[in-house]
Amino acid sequence: MNGCYCLIIEFNENKKLKIGSRLEIDFKKGCYVYIGSAMNNLKSRVKRHLSNEKKLHWHVDYLLKHSEITEVIYNLDKKVECDLSKEMSKNNEYIQDFGCSDCECESHLYYFKNEKEAIEEVIKAYNSIDCEFRIGISDFS
């Protein structure tokens, strides 16, 4: 199983976090959407993100140490990570340079006031690029 995923992440406080060795970012209380891909093993990648026991490797790992994934929206067999991100960047607030060091996107992390708004925007992005998707954090347990 391979594809791309959007993690819906609940962040419960305003807090400055150190991300990697260079970035310090002020995160606002609310909901974040992180867009990623796993073209070798989607299930194991998302399970890794859901786990509390992991080495801090990607930018999102540092955020997940202080937050909770509440939902996963994903697609199979297509690498649409940057297409989704470009759609999301049109009308949504994002954290500059987060999670996109290997592409030309402005970000792969988007901020929303609540989970409902975050999920609606991800669905809208998938529909805009005409890509079938699934919703289900339980698909990765």
Side-chain angles (χ1 to χ4, degrees), residues 18-24 59 62:
K18 186 170 178 158
I19 305 296
S21 60
R22 298 180 306 174
L23 293 174
E24 273 197 25
H59 284 167
Y62 295 85

Side-chain angles (χ1 to χ4, degrees), residues 9 11 17-19 27 32 34 58-68 98 109:
I9 302 167
F11 194 74
L17 296 179
K18 186 170 178 158
I19 305 296
F27 288 94
Y32 290 85
Y34 175 74
W58 291 291
H59 284 167
V60 72
D61 293 337
Y62 295 85
L63 175 60
L64 291 175
K65 190 174 171 186
H66 302 275
S67 57
E68 178 186 357
F98 192 101
L109 185 69

Side-chain angles (χ1 to χ4, degrees), residues 10-136:
E10 189 70 38
F11 194 74
N12 290 320
E13 61 184 326
N14 295 327
K15 188 172 187 175
K16 181 176 275 199
L17 296 179
K18 186 170 178 158
I19 305 296
S21 60
R22 298 180 306 174
L23 293 174
E24 273 197 25
I25 299 173
D26 288 314
F27 288 94
K28 297 187 288 191
K29 180 180 179 178
C31 198
Y32 290 85
V33 173
Y34 175 74
I35 303 169
S37 65
M39 299 314 290
N40 288 324
N41 194 331
L42 179 66
K43 191 166 190 166
S44 68
R45 175 69 54 84
V46 173
K47 281 178 98 168
R48 181 192 181 282
H49 288 314
L50 290 166
S51 170
N52 291 325
E53 303 298 320
K54 62 183 164 262
K55 186 176 180 181
L56 301 179
H57 178 69
W58 291 291
H59 284 167
V60 72
D61 293 337
Y62 295 85
L63 175 60
L64 291 175
K65 190 174 171 186
H66 302 275
S67 57
E68 178 186 357
I69 298 171
T70 59
E71 190 58 89
V72 179
I73 303 172
Y74 64 99
N75 67 280
L76 300 176
D77 302 325
K78 291 182 184 176
K79 186 169 169 77
V80 294
E81 175 183 17
C82 293
D83 297 327
L84 286 170
S85 191
K86 286 176 183 146
E87 285 299 315
M88 295 282 287
S89 70
K90 289 179 181 177
N91 298 310
N92 299 297
E93 184 179 339
Y94 55 85
I95 306 299
Q96 184 72 39
D97 298 326
F98 192 101
C100 58
S101 58
D102 61 346
C103 68
E104 307 224 352
C105 294
E106 304 249 359
S107 181
H108 280 199
L109 185 69
Y110 296 85
Y111 171 77
F112 300 91
K113 291 179 182 163
N114 59 60
E115 182 182 46
K116 181 180 182 290
E117 186 180 294
I119 290 172
E120 287 172 355
E121 287 297 312
V122 171
I123 290 170
K124 191 163 86 173
Y126 266 112
N127 288 336
S128 293
I129 64 168
D130 196 27
C131 182
E132 290 184 29
F133 61 90
R134 299 176 184 185
I135 301 175

